[in-house]
């Protein structure tokens, strides 16, 4: 009788691996610093690209016309003279242009935000027949180029007799800003759980009360972000303002800058740079003050949308 024998596999002997010694804290800190160097270089380049034009513009606002024409572009001003700012505020009428921009921008942005938020709430939260078709009809407004409707609008405004005022600018900015605002707010409202509004309805809250008590507070960051986007869009507009301003007294800040460059037959760079520097003061203050709110609104929309 034969017996089957099974050859045993050769036993493997575990060979202890040599672990590399952990780097010392000083070495780890040095490695982290080395890894961060490319990021710091990129950030430094971006800061130079962004800040250099603004610094160059502010420095240029102190130069005389002869310095612009004879000295190198990167040269510092020979004297820190504020006469360019005086010329911009008096001869250039920058103060009146500033006031016109404020008169036009604030009502336009308030109307855009209020109507857009209410429309977004009605189209996304409330259930009624035809809301999808209405939303598509409003979104079609985004695809219409503004240049195509300026001439027909001017004819309509002229016939009803409002061309000699700032009212056409407010109406046009409001109408042209509503499609995008409505679309964004409908998207934001889509991310809110419906159970919140249903619970409010069960507790006896009507649609109007739910909008002001629940919808508006929950959309606070989104409303602020959309409002600031529209604020910058209206404030920096030139085409619409240039089309509907019939008198220099009605010119906004952007139209005023354009007229300032042609006032003497040739561009006066010093007053022009001073006027541009005054123009960006409001924008910088608004952006730096509400910077965190803007980022919070954009991040909220990106995560929920």
């Amino acid at each position: 009788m034969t017996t089957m024998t099974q050859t045993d596999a050769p036993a493997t002997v575990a060979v202890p691996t040599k672990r590399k010694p952990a780097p010392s804290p000083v070495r780890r800190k040095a490695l982290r610093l080395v890894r961060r160097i490319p990021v710091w270089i990129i950030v430094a380049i971006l800061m130079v690209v962004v800040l250099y034009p603004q610094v160059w513009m502010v420095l240029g606002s102190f130069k005389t016309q002869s310095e612009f024409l004879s000295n190198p572009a990167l040269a510092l001003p020979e004297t820190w003279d504020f006469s360019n700012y005086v010329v911009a505020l008096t001869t250039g009428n920058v103060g009146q242009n500033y006031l016109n921009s404020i008169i036009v921008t604030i009502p336009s942005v308030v109307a855009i935000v209020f109507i857009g938020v209410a429309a977004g709430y009605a189209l996304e939260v409330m259930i009624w027949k035809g809301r999808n078709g209405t939303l598509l009809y409003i979104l079609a407004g985004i695809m219409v180029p503004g240049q195509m409707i300026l001439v027909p609008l001017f004819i309509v405004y002229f016939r009803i007799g409002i061309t000699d005022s700032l009212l056409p600018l407010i109406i046009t900015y409001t109408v042209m800003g509503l499609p995008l605002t409505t679309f964004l707010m409908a998207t934001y409202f889509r991310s809110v759980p419906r159970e919140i509004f249903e619970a409010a309805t069960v507790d006896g809250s009507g649609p109007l009360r739910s909008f002001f008590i629940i919808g508006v507070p929950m959309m606070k960051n989104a409303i602020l972000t959309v409002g600031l986007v529209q604020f910058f869009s209206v404030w920096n507009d030139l085409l619409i303002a240039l089309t509907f301003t019939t008198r220099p007294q009605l010119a906004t800040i952007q139209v005023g800058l354009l007229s300032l460059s042609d006032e003497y037959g040739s561009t006066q760079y010093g007053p022009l740079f001073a006027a541009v520097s005054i123009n960006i003061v409001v924008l910088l203050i608004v952006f730096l003050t509400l910077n965190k709110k803007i980022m919070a609104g954009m991040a909220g929309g990106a995560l929920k949308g």
Side-chain angles (χ1 to χ4, degrees), residues 63-75 78 269:
K63 294 182 180 179
T64 61
Q65 186 72 3
S66 60
E67 290 180 64
F68 275 102
L69 300 178
S70 57
N71 294 351
L74 300 179
E78 296 177 356
Y269 295 104

Side-chain angles (χ1 to χ4, degrees), residues 100-243:
N100 292 337
S101 289
I102 294 174
I103 294 174
V104 168
T105 302
I106 292 179
S108 302
V109 173
V110 170
I112 290 172
V113 171
F114 181 76
I115 300 174
V117 174
Y121 175 82
L123 292 170
E124 188 59 37
V125 178
M126 299 176 65
I127 299 175
W128 46 282
K129 187 177 181 180
R131 62 171 184 164
N132 293 328
T134 305
L135 179 59
L136 291 176
Y137 179 75
I138 293 176
L139 293 181
I142 301 176
M143 306 173 190
V144 178
Q147 296 85 347
M148 293 179 61
I149 62 174
L150 291 183
V151 175
L153 280 177
F154 186 84
I155 295 174
V156 172
Y157 293 150
F158 180 77
R159 288 180 178 176
I160 62 179
I162 61 173
T163 50
D164 196 21
S165 67
L166 295 174
L167 189 58
L169 293 178
I170 299 174
I171 296 174
T172 307
Y173 288 138
T174 303
V175 173
M176 295 187 70
L178 273 179
L180 179 61
T181 304
T182 303
F183 170 71
L184 292 176
M185 294 312 305
T187 305
Y188 278 114
F189 275 116
R190 192 173 302 163
S191 63
V192 179
R194 291 293 173 273
E195 289 78 6
I196 298 177
F197 296 102
E198 292 172 359
T201 304
V202 172
D203 291 340
S205 176
L208 193 62
R209 181 180 175 84
S210 296
F211 171 69
F212 284 106
I213 302 300
I214 299 175
V216 173
M218 293 190 69
M219 294 291 105
K220 185 173 60 178
N221 288 336
I223 292 172
L224 189 57
T225 302
V226 172
L228 286 174
V229 170
Q230 294 297 339
F231 174 84
F232 291 131
S233 175
V234 174
W235 184 273
N236 292 323
D237 172 73
L238 174 63
L239 179 62
I240 297 175
L242 189 62
T243 303

